[in-house]
Amino acid sequence: MSTTATMGDMANSAVEFYPKGSRGSTAGGRRADGSHAGGDFGVTVKELRELMELRGADALQKIQDSYGDTEGLCQRLQSNITDGLSGDPGDLERRCQTYGQNFIPPKKPKTFLELVWEALQDVTLIILEAAAIISLGLSFYQPPNKESEMCGESAGGAEDEGEADAGWIEGAAILLSVVCVVLVTAFNDWSKEKQFRGLQSRIEQEQKFTVVRKGNVIQIPVADMVVGDIAQVKYGDLLPADGILIQGNDLKIDESSLTGESDHVRKSADKDPMLLSGTHVMEGSGRMLVTAVGVNSQTGIIFTLLGAGEMEEDAKEKKGKQPDGTVENNQNKAKKQDGGVAMEMQPLKSAEGGEVEDRERKKTNVPKKEKSVLQGKLTKLAVQIGKAGLVMSAITVIILVLYFVINTFVVKGRSWLAECTPIYVQYFVKFFIIGVTVLVVAVPEGLPLAVTISLAYSVKKMMKDNNLVRHLDACETMGNATAICSDKTGTLTTNRMTVVQAYIGDVHHRVIPDPGLVNPRTLDLLVHAIAINSAYTSKILPPDVEGGLAKQVGNKTECGLLGFVLDLQHDYAPVREQIPEEKLYKVYTFNSVRKSMSTVIRLPDGTFRLYSKGASEIMLKKCSYILDANGEPRSFRPRDRDEMVKQVIEPMACEGLRTICIAYRDLSPNPEPDWENEAEIVTELTCISVVGIEDPVRPEVPEAIRKCQRAGITVRMVTGDNINTARAIAAKCGIIHPGDDFICLEGKEFNRRIRNEKGEIEQERIDRIWPKLRVLARSSPTDKHTLVKGIIDSSVVEQRQVVAVTGDGTNDGPALKKADVGFAMGIAGTDVAKEASDIILTDDNFSSIVKAVMWGRNVYDSISKFLQFQLTVNVVAVIVAFTGACITQDSPLKAVQMLWVNLIMDTFASLALATEPPTEALLLRKPYGRNNPLISLTMMKNILGHGVYQLIIIFTLLFIGERMFNIDSGRNAPLHSPPSEHYTIIFNTFVLMQLFNEINARKIHGERNVFDGIFSNPIFCSIVLGTFAVQIVIVQWGGKPFSCAPLNMEQWLWCLFVGVGELLWGQVIATVPTERLPCLKEAGLGLEPGEEEGEELAEDEEEIDCAERELRRGQILWFRGLNRIQTQMEVVSTFKRSGSFQGAVRRRSSVLSQLHDVNTISTPSHVALSTATANTSPAPGNASGESVP
């Protein structure tokens, strides 16, 4: 995956970190080409840039020729290899001036005017504008008086001279309302982009990196790094600048983001010391000298070539502006959100092509790409409604024109006169405008807006709940989650490790032993083994507050062990001072395969000593000796080992402790061992001690897990720990309950069960395991990925599972990417994990995931509320305009009024209903499922029920309203006639009914109390009241532009009475049981806007009763039959062509994704998988072993 773009992002934050003045002074143009002399430094930008383009031996040769060695280069850069820079602000400023800042200037955001221009591209708006302009032009044409009688009643009627001159008002008003709609849309887009950039810069500010300054190890924002800094790199880092390795332990780098090579590259100070920005540290640790930052780093150079780092002059011009985070950090997930089969991880980019197009894609405006399940469903729905609207509006126009032509020229027998043409054309334009207005009201352009507002609002609020959302769609997918695979350490537990038990010198101590009880030699070995064989970045600092807990910095397990040393009344610091990091002879760093860490040191007598620590059952297999009570090694046979596992390790594990074994081995210097042959070195060890480390469960986790289970979400624990430890913690958390039917497996056993004789993974085998699996222990990252993929691809349950995964390590990347929603840990997580995730948990806490579920469900509900409201308005407005036009030759709702209604229901309603805060009640129902129709039966009932009420009222008013209110009829009014009270009452009643129905729309599951919690949403209250106030103004003083005549008090009260009737009618509708309305069943399915046919069948809605289940079962069987035939034909035709099996596999997966998981397939699915695996050697970018097109 391309991480290069992220670099730009991380650097963007520089704008925040630097005072305005200091940035302007950067003489950008001069330093970009390196012509600037190296300030007071002994090396120029140009020389450093040329140096960083070399690799391996060439680079070493160049360093040797030009600077003697790395230390020489370090001196020229006025830095110190051990103490780093002085950190003096003047010096840092000078470095920024000379070598630039670690900041890549972002792309400019779209201006407000550009957004206005984009909003104007809307087809319906263009049609309206054209119609309005024609209408405007024609209204100024006045035929000579004597012909006007001959042109029929066109010009006559109730007009007086003043009114005839006001014909232009309607055209102008339409134009004005178009302007309003455009401005509102543009403003929404603008604020959306602004929010997105705010989010980006928030993500960037989180980015910190460890450097050494004045001999102290400190963390600074990535943007503050300068050339000459000494940076510490460790497992999981994303390198923010180019540099040269000074000292490294077992360092391996993934450079695929720059070179496209998927193999990890070994780096060492004496073979290949060049470290490049944008690459990932996959293993080991080390220290590097920063040699290039920002636009001069490798990533920066690529960006500049791509034009993303618009040259420095621009940066100078806009130095005061906010940064634009839209250079996509988000490497949008390669997931086909709509299919039942989610896409595999992206194949690795080839060196040039893929990379460039990847970045090109990133450079385009970000928010548009985030098309989620929900947005997919909505777009389809909007298109369907739009089509219906188009047909309605076309019919409306045709009927109006025909009626007019027949009435004027056939019935009244008039002939078409040349001078009357403009008047007739004006009639036609009026009809056309009515038609377009029907279309405008029918097209729910508020849908995308509602989604955006709802997501943006949720994302903003989720920040407060410790969820930093990186991909907008993740927020809503989370609401449908059915399974969560969580890590144990740090997520379910507090990640504060303490040693509570120890086995030393043949004695099992249940509490930390008194140092006097332990043999001094054993104690000394133990202290050295812990102090030396743990990362020197792990340490224990005094507490922040008096009497508080000591601060643990670095790896928490190592901190637990160091704390153990302190508890034994010894200190690890003197040991580390005596043997500094540079003196370590060889380090085998911890990784998920080894599950151990070893360090070799040279003793004063020239012999070597290896210290090793790791998971106890793995380490004990490598031990041949153990220290007895006198500190003397005695032999340790397999029989002793089994005894120890039973007596010591299992009891510790059953109390939920992690067991760690600490051992050592002495090696002779001649012949010097082959350090690369790890298996030969780390064996025949002598066990010093086994310790039990406690990591208590977070107090809020059991409650959070209970909420998940109540909400229909299965929580599974996937951990690298011992199975007994894992089981004990799972029971404490409430993941497993005594007496339940569940299984807990170790990684090995899991793999044995899911693979066939050839060692290939079979989906059917996974399907037998995962529904009951609750704990997967001693698992590797590959196991985690296999499990997640197996659950997602499974078709044993009728609903496609939506899986969320938490991860913190570099190797969790594949699983995080494969999952529907990946959560990375904000505190313990590595950069690589954050990069692959959708949401970052800023407090690493499981209970924050539950909040994410709540927000996700809330988004879905908000959209449904809006849909319910909007569709009611659409149906009513379109039918009224259509029938009104057909029967009375004029729409009772005028164009401008329709646009106002459109504004209320689209923009304002989406704001009001999309910002409802979530409630705990959302967690009391099961997930909707991926393939649920957006419009449930209850909603369908509400839409039709309220539609019927509104239509009855409006038609009653239209045809007998003048008699009820004793006013003049507004029907059949001539062109340009003044507004009538009659039509004003209809318009007013219509709007008030919508306002009260908006309150009804707050509930979508048939609840009775629609006012419940209404005051917790001030936006909703203010919008409803605001709309009401504006409506009063429009009716009383809108006059000709709005075609309104002022109403008196009595008329207003009647309108209000009918409006309030909506609330009462809502209660009547709620009383009618949904099951009693069989006619809705089909409609509920028919309106299904989702993916393919057969999709609606896969849900299990709350409202479904037996009859409907039967109906669905029939359909499911029918689809299964069809699908079987289709699959078999596919296979046969493939073999006929003797083409590669891959095509069939690929095609079949697309068939599957269309028909979703309803179908079970007659051919065993493992054939597909295994063949695919054989066809492609799974590269890391495609670790899943699926065939890559």
Side-chain angles (χ1 to χ4, degrees), residues 365-386:
N365 192 349
V366 173
K368 284 189 187 145
K369 303 198 315 237
E370 314 253 301
K371 201 164 182 194
S372 57
V373 187
L374 185 61
Q375 269 167 312
K377 284 184 178 182
L378 286 174
T379 316
K380 288 216 162 114
L381 185 67
V383 169
Q384 287 173 347
I385 297 173

Side-chain angles (χ1 to χ4, degrees), residues 166-178:
W168 61 274
I169 291 181
E170 184 171 33
I174 292 179
L175 281 181
L176 193 72
S177 35
V178 166

Side-chain angles (χ1 to χ4, degrees), residues 255-283:
E255 293 189 349
S256 58
S257 59
L258 287 181
T259 60
E261 291 300 319
S262 54
D263 294 341
H264 298 168
V265 184
R266 266 205 126 96
K267 297 284 180 184
S268 59
D270 49 1
K271 290 199 182 73
D272 181 5
M274 309 312 263
L275 302 179
L276 307 174
S277 59
T279 58
H280 286 116
V281 182
M282 299 312 275
E283 232 180 84

Side-chain angles (χ1 to χ4, degrees), residues 803-908:
V803 184
V805 168
T806 67
D808 51 7
T810 304
N811 39 34
D812 289 331
L816 286 171
K817 263 209 145 82
K818 175 71 203 175
D820 295 284
V821 183
F823 286 91
M825 301 298 146
I827 304 167
T830 58
D831 293 346
V832 182
K834 289 179 188 171
E835 187 81 356
S837 69
D838 303 285
I839 299 180
I840 295 174
L841 293 179
T842 50
D843 62 348
D844 287 15
N845 194 336
F846 185 84
S847 58
S848 302
I849 299 179
V850 181
K851 298 215 179 94
V853 172
M854 211 155 79
W855 277 106
R857 293 187 172 191
N858 190 52
V859 168
Y860 209 91
D861 280 9
S862 297
I863 304 301
S864 300
K865 290 172 190 174
F866 173 69
L867 259 180
Q868 177 174 306
F869 171 70
Q870 165 133 38
L871 291 180
T872 311
V873 188
N874 275 14
V875 169
V876 175
V878 171
I879 293 178
V880 166
F882 176 69
T883 40
C886 297
I887 297 169
T888 67
Q889 281 66 66
D890 186 6
S891 166
L893 296 172
K894 299 289 180 285
V896 178
Q897 296 175 348
M898 288 278 223
L899 284 169
W900 164 237
V901 168
N902 203 32
L903 201 68
I904 320 176
M905 43 174 236
D906 270 1
T907 309
F908 296 154

Side-chain angles (χ1 to χ4, degrees), residues 932-973:
N932 230 46
L934 268 177
I935 300 165
S936 69
L937 301 186
T938 312
M939 285 166 63
M940 201 69 206
K941 177 182 76 174
N942 290 345
I943 292 170
L944 297 180
H946 287 292
V948 167
Y949 172 84
Q950 296 184 9
L951 286 172
I952 291 173
I953 298 282
I954 285 177
F955 285 135
T956 309
L957 287 175
L958 181 59
F959 295 113
I960 55 170
E962 70 272 33
R963 276 175 272 164
M964 291 162 62
F965 288 104
N966 200 10
I967 45 177
D968 292 331
S969 166
R971 294 196 301 282
N972 300 329

Side-chain angles (χ1 to χ4, degrees), residues 542-603:
D544 288 338
V545 285
E546 200 56 41
L549 290 167
K551 271 204 326 204
Q552 297 188 340
V553 181
N555 180 310
K556 298 294 188 260
T557 310
E558 294 184 340
C559 288
L561 292 170
L562 293 170
F564 178 48
V565 171
L566 299 176
D567 290 342
L568 291 169
Q569 295 162 25
H570 280 63
D571 190 1
Y572 62 87
V575 180
R576 287 184 172 183
E577 279 160 23
Q578 186 191 340
I579 305 176
E581 209 169 351
E582 299 79 65
K583 285 200 184 162
L584 302 180
Y585 198 81
K586 171 80 185 162
V587 178
Y588 301 97
T589 49
F590 180 88
N591 65 26
S592 56
V593 181
R594 288 190 183 118
K595 288 210 187 304
S596 68
M597 170 181 178
S598 312
T599 306
V600 181
I601 58 167
R602 200 168 199 151
L603 298 176

Side-chain angles (χ1 to χ4, degrees), residues 834-1141:
K834 289 179 188 171
E835 187 81 356
S837 69
D838 303 285
I839 299 180
I840 295 174
L841 293 179
T842 50
D843 62 348
D844 287 15
N845 194 336
F846 185 84
S847 58
S848 302
I849 299 179
V850 181
K851 298 215 179 94
V853 172
M854 211 155 79
W855 277 106
R857 293 187 172 191
N858 190 52
V859 168
Y860 209 91
D861 280 9
S862 297
I863 304 301
S864 300
K865 290 172 190 174
F866 173 69
L867 259 180
Q868 177 174 306
F869 171 70
Q870 165 133 38
L871 291 180
T872 311
V873 188
N874 275 14
V875 169
V876 175
V878 171
I879 293 178
V880 166
F882 176 69
T883 40
C886 297
I887 297 169
T888 67
Q889 281 66 66
D890 186 6
S891 166
L893 296 172
K894 299 289 180 285
V896 178
Q897 296 175 348
M898 288 278 223
L899 284 169
W900 164 237
V901 168
N902 203 32
L903 201 68
I904 320 176
M905 43 174 236
D906 270 1
T907 309
F908 296 154
S910 62
L911 251 176
L913 292 167
T915 53
E916 290 267 307
T919 58
E920 287 281 331
L922 288 168
L923 293 175
L924 298 177
R925 62 170 177 77
K926 299 278 178 273
Y928 279 138
R930 238 185 136 80
N931 336 324
N932 230 46
L934 268 177
I935 300 165
S936 69
L937 301 186
T938 312
M939 285 166 63
M940 201 69 206
K941 177 182 76 174
N942 290 345
I943 292 170
L944 297 180
H946 287 292
V948 167
Y949 172 84
Q950 296 184 9
L951 286 172
I952 291 173
I953 298 282
I954 285 177
F955 285 135
T956 309
L957 287 175
L958 181 59
F959 295 113
I960 55 170
E962 70 272 33
R963 276 175 272 164
M964 291 162 62
F965 288 104
N966 200 10
I967 45 177
D968 292 331
S969 166
R971 294 196 301 282
N972 300 329
L975 200 63
H976 302 324
S977 55
S980 63
E981 284 184 356
H982 182 192
Y983 275 18
T984 307
I985 290 177
I986 294 178
F987 166 59
N988 198 24
T989 310
F990 181 71
V991 171
L992 291 178
M993 287 195 295
Q994 301 322 327
L995 272 184
F996 285 102
N997 193 28
E998 196 165 337
I999 298 173
N1000 277 330
R1002 293 183 64 246
K1003 300 288 174 222
I1004 50 173
H1005 296 301
E1007 296 93 329
R1008 287 214 173 269
N1009 181 4
V1010 289
F1011 291 102
D1012 178 33
I1014 194 164
F1015 296 113
S1016 64
N1017 186 359
I1019 303 182
F1020 183 86
C1021 301
S1022 48
I1023 283 180
V1024 170
L1025 296 172
T1027 313
F1028 186 54
V1030 176
Q1031 180 64 14
I1032 295 176
V1033 173
I1034 289 178
V1035 170
Q1036 297 306 93
W1037 297 281
K1040 186 82 173 104
F1042 279 98
S1043 315
C1044 286
L1047 301 180
N1048 60 31
M1049 199 62 203
E1050 186 199 354
Q1051 291 163 336
W1052 262 103
L1053 285 172
W1054 274 108
C1055 293
L1056 262 173
F1057 170 71
V1058 173
V1060 174
E1062 265 290 0
L1063 293 174
L1064 305 172
W1065 182 244
Q1067 295 300 315
V1068 174
I1069 295 179
T1071 313
V1072 178
T1074 315
E1075 295 77 51
R1076 288 290 163 79
L1077 302 171
C1079 55
L1080 287 185
K1081 303 264 158 75
E1082 288 306 308
L1085 293 178
L1087 248 164
E1088 155 60 12
E1091 279 59 276
E1092 307 292 335
E1093 346 81 303
E1095 191 200 6
E1096 314 87 311
L1097 314 177
E1099 44 280 349
D1100 184 9
E1101 229 173 335
E1102 296 143 63
E1103 293 102 342
I1104 297 180
D1105 58 6
C1106 309
E1108 188 170 358
R1109 289 234 170 84
E1110 276 309 305
L1111 177 137
R1112 290 204 173 173
R1113 194 168 299 139
Q1115 281 171 301
I1116 289 174
L1117 288 171
W1118 166 239
F1119 274 111
R1120 276 190 188 160
L1122 270 183
N1123 190 50
R1124 287 220 172 121
I1125 296 166
Q1126 204 171 351
T1127 309
Q1128 280 156 357
M1129 283 165 66
E1130 282 275 351
V1131 173
V1132 172
S1133 62
T1134 310
F1135 280 125
K1136 261 192 209 155
R1137 288 200 306 277
S1138 75
S1140 75
F1141 200 84

Side-chain angles (χ1 to χ4, degrees), residues 144-266:
N145 259 347
K146 47 178 201 308
E147 280 101 3
S148 65
E149 287 84 61
M150 301 169 357
C151 300
E153 70 264 48
S154 316
E159 290 196 18
D160 52 32
E161 274 308 298
E163 280 296 343
D165 299 337
W168 61 274
I169 291 181
E170 184 171 33
I174 292 179
L175 281 181
L176 193 72
S177 35
V178 166
V179 169
C180 277
V181 172
V182 166
L183 286 176
V184 169
T185 316
F187 176 74
N188 275 312
D189 284 346
W190 177 80
S191 57
K192 179 168 89 180
E193 222 174 61
K194 186 164 151 263
Q195 267 180 328
F196 204 85
R197 279 202 298 282
L199 172 66
Q200 289 304 104
S201 57
R202 164 81 193 265
I203 291 177
E204 286 141 23
Q205 282 161 27
E206 302 272 309
Q207 291 276 7
K208 295 254 174 48
F209 210 76
T210 315
V211 297
V212 181
R213 285 192 181 167
K214 270 202 282 204
N216 296 324
V217 178
I218 56 167
Q219 285 213 325
I220 58 168
V222 161
D224 289 356
M225 287 178 75
V226 291
V227 170
D229 257 325
I230 303 293
Q232 294 201 343
V233 296
K234 60 179 187 313
Y235 158 82
D237 281 344
L238 178 111
L239 299 181
D242 292 356
I244 294 174
L245 187 65
I246 302 168
Q247 175 260 325
N249 303 320
D250 211 8
L251 194 62
K252 286 188 189 154
I253 306 273
D254 172 10
E255 293 189 349
S256 58
S257 59
L258 287 181
T259 60
E261 291 300 319
S262 54
D263 294 341
H264 298 168
V265 184
R266 266 205 126 96

